[in-house]
Amino acid sequence: MEEVLRGLASKMHVEITVNEQKKEADVEPRLLLVHFLRENLSLTGTHIGCDTSNCGACTVLVNGKAVKSCTMFTVQASGKEVMTVEGLAKGGKLHPIQEGFWEKHGLQCGYCTPGMMMAGVALLQKNSNPTEEEIRRGISGNLCRCTGYVKIVEAIQYAAEKLREAQQQKVEVPAR
Amino acid sequence: MIPAPFEYSSPKTLSDAFTLLETSGPDSKILAGGQSLIPVMKLRLGQPSRLIDINNIQELSYLREADGYLRIGALTRMVDLESSDLIKKKYPIISDTASHIADPTVRNMGTAGGNVSHADPANDLPGTMVALGAEFVAASSKGTRVIKAKDFFVDTFTTDLKHEEILTEIRVPMYAPGTGGAYLKLEKRVGDFAIAGVGVQISLDNDGTCTRAGIGLTAVGPSVIEAVEAEKALVGKKLTEEATRAAASLASDASTPTSDLRGPADYKKEMIKVLTSRALKRAHQRAVGGSA
Ligand SMILES: Cc1cc2nc3c(=O)[nH]c(=O)nc-3n(C[C@H](O)[C@H](O)[C@H](O)COP(=O)(O)OP(=O)(O)OC[C@H]3O[C@@H](n4cnc5c(N)ncnc54)[C@H](O)[C@@H]3O)c2cc1C
Ligand code: FES
Ligand code: FES
């Protein structure tokens, strides 16, 4: 009973920008970010694959850094910007990382895919031209039970190339 | 899995954090990166009544050399230790270690202070800090005190920190040129805890004689182990094949592993010998090669 009261007594107000939209809620401090995203906001693209912080299916970006949303409390994300897999596509156009997984067949069952894509996006933000080894290291916090990773690496390489091309076009515009 | 309920506060200054620690019960806990504490709470192995989140205390996040020490603020993330040019160039034993802790996503959150304060014998940073002869700065409203590595790690999940104290800094002596270190970890798969790990830091004088050796062993006892006899055996000697082998044997003797899912005890003991010997060779190369 005491436990229940303690939980009820302590709801806290949070304001979190999720996929560029401001969200407010009163939550228990113990509410994990992954549960807030999936249950409060119905953003079920972020998956839960383990209970031990190992699998990375729950990976989202918090202020641009990849984190395991099952290993962070919602209250810790207050005042921050969160990006989930739902925030990747813009105006009906897939993000290059999504295109990469589509084109290169980077998924089978798809359970690990949202987390893989978020880890991939975080990696490419830091390193726009990663080697295969750097990609493998970069996604080493994400487990896939199906693909054997080869196609996932190719998907991230595809996205890297697309993003570099887009970057180059941006640079060339003012020169014209 | 859902942790038991708790109260939460996120102070912005150390002094507010001290007040919170003093006024909340003995089962309140500091939350740093949360990469050990939150899994513990999800499994309900721990049910703290209050979490004092130190992530917003900016003054705990720094990495600099000053007054003869490399000073690592407790809130410095693993990713920053791993990617810092200063660390790579002058303290490669620390970048060796940080880059082998968990995975990049965990390292974005996990902190240096959390890795040593958690005091899991399988945490990697303690072995390295023992090898480096590091010191730990603990602060409370009553002031600060400096704890030597050999006193800091008391037992499994137990450090010398008092409940009202916060670890604010890990400081590593800046050794004179001619020093070198390395950390080697044997793991079943990338991102896993160590089957066994060894951190070594040596200093050599001009003719290559060892003047100081620090050796810390990971995951082969109830707490991190300092291989004192192996260290003593090296001082005053050149790092010949024979001296290296003798020290590696003594390090193995100092280990007290148990058999578990990661391997049988006698295998781990043997691996300590192999890892110590290899780490000493790499440390030696780095010491004579100019980069620490
Ligand atoms: C999948 C996975 C794999 C991992 N693999 C490894 C590995 O291979 N090697 C390894 O070493 N670790 C590993 N870890 C643990 C990880 O590195 C943790 O980040 C680290 O041990 C704890 O740091 P933290 O900042 O997350 O601490 P937290 O989880 O926030 O805290 C841990 C403990 O330290 C206390 N604490 C934290 N900071 C302070 C402070 N400044 N003063 C006083 N007390 C403090 C807390 O109260 C708590 O009791 C792994 C974790 C995961 C999830
Ligand atoms: S659900 Fe597996 S790491 Fe978060
Ligand atoms: S596609 Fe099935 S787990 Fe990765």
Side-chain angles (χ1 to χ4, degrees):
Chain A
M1 188 59 198
E2 199 193 326
E3 194 179 81
V4 175
L5 285 177
R6 214 191 320 148
L8 288 178
S10 61
K11 281 213 172 180
M12 296 183 78
H13 190 71
V14 293
E15 288 184 21
I16 306 174
T17 306
V18 180
N19 300 332
E20 299 178 0
Q21 286 184 351
K22 199 157 170 187
K23 305 284 178 188
E24 291 186 44
D26 292 314
V27 301
E28 278 189 70
R30 64 169 166 166
L31 184 69
L32 295 164
L33 180 58
V34 70
H35 291 139
F36 176 71
L37 295 169
R38 289 178 56 85
E39 285 159 28
N40 296 43
L41 304 183
S42 300
L43 293 172
T44 52
T46 302
H47 290 170
I48 301 175
C50 70
D51 260 324
T52 51
S53 308
N54 275 282
C55 76
C58 63
T59 306
V60 301
L61 306 188
V62 177
N63 282 359
K65 279 209 283 187
V67 303
K68 295 183 178 177
S69 62
C70 73
T71 317
M72 183 181 216
F73 294 114
T74 310
V75 285
Q76 291 181 273
S78 194
K80 300 206 163 91
E81 291 189 13
V82 174
M83 181 150 119
T84 71
V85 68
E86 288 91 345
L88 287 176
K90 291 265 153 62
K93 197 177 173 311
L94 293 183
H95 184 283
I97 196 100
Q98 293 171 305
E99 238 180 82
F101 274 75
W102 174 278
E103 290 294 333
K104 295 291 170 184
H105 210 89
L107 62 145
Q108 288 180 23
C109 81
Y111 204 87
C112 68
T113 313
M116 282 290 178
M117 292 202 286
M118 299 319 285
V121 168
L123 169 69
L124 295 178
Q125 274 169 4
K126 281 213 258 185
N127 181 352
S128 61
N129 195 5
T131 62
E132 179 185 337
E133 201 198 319
E134 285 166 340
I135 294 176
R136 287 183 179 270
R137 276 185 190 282
I139 59 169
S140 60
N142 297 71
L143 301 181
C144 176
R145 301 281 78 175
C146 305
T147 64
Y149 301 97
V150 172
K151 295 286 168 188
I152 294 176
V153 172
E154 286 176 16
I156 296 173
Q157 282 167 332
Y158 176 100
E161 203 171 308
K162 283 275 146 154
L163 285 165
R164 284 199 308 276
E165 279 171 19
Q167 199 57 38
Q168 243 160 17
Q169 275 164 6
K170 257 195 222 160
V171 177
E172 278 164 17
V173 171
R176 267 184 221 144
Chain B
M1 279 182 294
I2 298 169
F6 57 87
E7 304 281 343
Y8 171 88
S9 359
S10 55
K12 291 205 167 55
T13 63
L14 261 179
S15 60
D16 285 351
F18 295 148
T19 311
L20 280 160
L21 270 172
E22 277 166 18
T23 52
S24 58
D27 59 346
S28 57
K29 277 237 161 239
I30 293 165
L31 174 68
Q35 303 300 295
S36 290
L37 184 55
I38 298 177
V40 161
M41 290 171 64
K42 284 168 74 177
L43 293 166
R44 301 224 177 178
L45 296 171
Q47 307 197 3
S49 61
R50 174 182 288 279
L51 289 189
I52 299 157
D53 181 351
I54 60 171
N55 283 281
N56 294 318
I57 307 180
Q58 303 290 341
E59 60 193 295
L60 287 178
S61 196
Y62 56 86
L63 191 58
R64 59 169 174 262
E65 286 182 330
D67 309 320
Y69 290 98
L70 167 72
R71 294 167 187 272
I72 305 171
L75 205 56
T76 306
R77 311 277 166 189
M78 287 311 156
V79 61
D80 299 320
L81 287 183
E82 181 187 1
S83 56
S84 148
D85 288 331
L86 169 70
I87 298 283
K88 274 192 242 174
K89 189 158 159 272
K90 290 187 68 183
Y91 308 88
I93 180 177
I94 298 179
S95 40
D96 285 354
T97 314
S99 61
H100 284 90
I101 288 175
D103 58 61
T105 319
V106 170
R107 296 201 289 271
N108 277 340
M109 289 299 288
T111 66
N115 201 284
V116 296
S117 302
H118 192 55
D120 183 333
N123 276 141
D124 292 292
L125 210 51
T128 288
M129 291 305 159
V130 162
L132 283 164
E135 296 170 351
F136 301 85
V137 182
S140 71
S141 62
K142 295 182 189 71
T144 60
R145 66 186 178 111
V146 178
I147 309 166
K148 298 235 185 280
K150 68 171 170 24
D151 302 319
F152 185 79
F153 299 103
V154 175
D155 204 345
T156 312
F157 301 124
T158 310
T159 66
D160 189 46
L161 290 171
K162 310 258 182 312
H163 175 258
E164 26 349 298
E165 283 178 328
I166 297 178
L167 175 72
T168 56
E169 181 177 280
I170 304 173
R171 58 190 210 193
V172 173
M174 287 166 63
Y175 294 110
T179 187
Y183 184 78
L184 290 183
K185 171 178 177 178
L186 184 67
E187 50 188 1
K188 276 198 149 171
R189 55 181 172 76
V190 173
D192 197 12
F193 285 97
I195 300 169
V198 177
V200 162
Q201 184 79 24
I202 54 166
S203 296
L204 306 176
D205 67 12
N206 287 338
D207 72 346
T209 304
C210 178
T211 55
R212 178 194 173 275
I215 304 178
L217 311 180
T218 303
V220 286
S223 177
V224 58
I225 290 173
E226 180 170 7
V228 180
E229 294 304 321
E231 293 171 351
K232 278 192 204 151
L234 286 168
V235 174
K237 292 215 185 75
K238 295 213 160 88
L239 262 82
T240 58
E241 183 69 35
E242 196 193 346
T244 303
R245 231 183 263 177
S249 267
L250 288 168
S252 173
D253 292 346
S255 69
T256 56
T258 49
S259 299
D260 59 19
L261 285 175
R262 290 193 174 80
D266 53 352
Y267 165 69
K268 294 181 189 178
K269 253 183 139 44
E270 192 60 29
M271 288 306 104
I272 288 292
K273 200 187 289 179
V274 175
L275 293 173
T276 306
S277 164
R278 289 184 190 168
L280 279 169
K281 284 178 191 160
R282 187 170 298 175
H284 185 250
Q285 274 167 8
R286 284 171 169 171
V288 295
S291 95

